[in-house]
Amino acid sequence: MLTLLPAARTGNFHVQEHTLMILRYRFVCEAIMRLLSSIAIVMISAWMGIQVNPAAAQTFEDRWSIIPKAKAEPSPEGDGHIKPDPQTQSQIGAEPTRGSEDRSETRSFKRAFSGKASYYSYRTGKTASGSSFNRNLSTAAHRSLPFGTRVRVTDLVTSKSVIVIITDRGPRVPGRMLDLSLGAARTLGITDRGVVHVRAKVI
């Protein structure tokens, strides 16, 4: 009985020593894990700080507003008053000339159009432009083209063409777009047909 006691005490001592080693191992492992977790958190925070979008520094209104904010421009040198250009001022105050009116009217119309054309002839008289009518000249009447406009008129059937100058207003008959002089009608060869389909182009 006396010989068994030291053996039992020796066994208990080994168990306690093993338990302490396990506790120390767990403590060291937990300390290492805490240290690694802290290092990982610091590194992630630093990485996120580097990769952050510059737009994050903007406010919600700045980022999502569709109306850009106006930026003040530096004022021009001097007293802030713009001096008018004498040449521009004179052009604004000047009355438009007849030539400028004709050019602007010509630009406002179609350069090419098609429709019916007829011819007219009388021996004496005045045109709407004020000139004397000469039936042997290649002239024509149009409702709106400026006087003096040159128009090439082509017969769609025969492909013959003639260049006329607008000197009169007409035709008065609905559905027709041009009234040619007798001379222009003879050049086109339409005197026997009277009314023909033509293509007209301003030149």
Side-chain angles (χ1 to χ4, degrees):
M1 194 64 187
L2 293 174
T3 58
L4 294 176
L5 289 175
R9 290 179 181 178
T10 303
N12 292 334
F13 175 77
H14 286 297
V15 171
Q16 292 177 359
E17 186 178 1
H18 182 70
T19 303
L20 289 174
M21 289 180 64
I22 293 175
L23 292 175
R24 291 193 192 98
Y25 179 76
R26 291 182 59 184
F27 177 78
V28 173
C29 290
E30 290 178 358
I32 293 173
M33 292 297 296
R34 292 193 189 98
L35 180 61
L36 293 177
S37 299
S38 301
I39 294 173
I41 292 173
V42 172
M43 292 181 65
I44 292 174
S45 300
W47 181 81
M48 292 181 65
I50 294 173
Q51 299 294 329
V52 67
N53 193 333
Q58 298 177 349
T59 63
F60 179 82
E61 182 179 357
D62 292 336
R63 292 182 63 185
W64 302 109
S65 176
I66 61 175
I67 304 175
K69 293 184 179 180
K71 295 183 179 179
E73 297 291 341
S75 59
E77 296 181 359
D79 55 357
H81 297 285
I82 301 175
K83 295 181 180 180
D85 187 359
Q87 185 176 0
T88 305
Q89 194 173 17
S90 62
Q91 291 178 356
I92 295 175
E95 294 183 358
T97 60
R98 180 65 184 175
S100 63
E101 288 181 354
D102 290 343
R103 286 193 297 270
S104 62
E105 289 177 2
T106 303
R107 286 194 297 268
S108 64
F109 290 98
K110 291 182 179 180
R111 305 292 298 180
F113 46 92
S114 301
K116 293 181 180 180
S118 56
Y119 73 95
Y120 68 116
S121 174
Y122 49 89
R123 293 186 179 277
T124 59
K126 291 284 185 179
T127 62
S129 63
S131 62
S132 298
F133 177 72
N134 186 343
R135 63 180 183 176
N136 295 318
L137 297 178
S138 295
T139 59
H142 190 271
R143 293 187 180 88
S144 54
L145 282 176
F147 296 133
T149 302
R150 293 164 56 86
V151 180
R152 181 185 298 276
V153 182
T154 304
D155 186 352
L156 295 179
V157 176
T158 62
S159 297
K160 291 183 178 180
S161 64
V162 61
I163 296 176
V164 298
I165 299 175
I166 302 299
T167 59
D168 208 352
R169 291 299 179 217
R172 296 182 179 179
V173 180
R176 300 180 188 177
M177 68 171 188
L178 280 175
D179 253 346
L180 304 176
S181 64
L182 179 61
R186 286 173 177 171
T187 303
L188 281 182
I190 65 171
T191 54
D192 57 338
R193 289 179 286 166
V195 180
V196 294
H197 288 273
V198 298
R199 179 176 66 253
K201 183 178 181 180
V202 178
I203 58 177

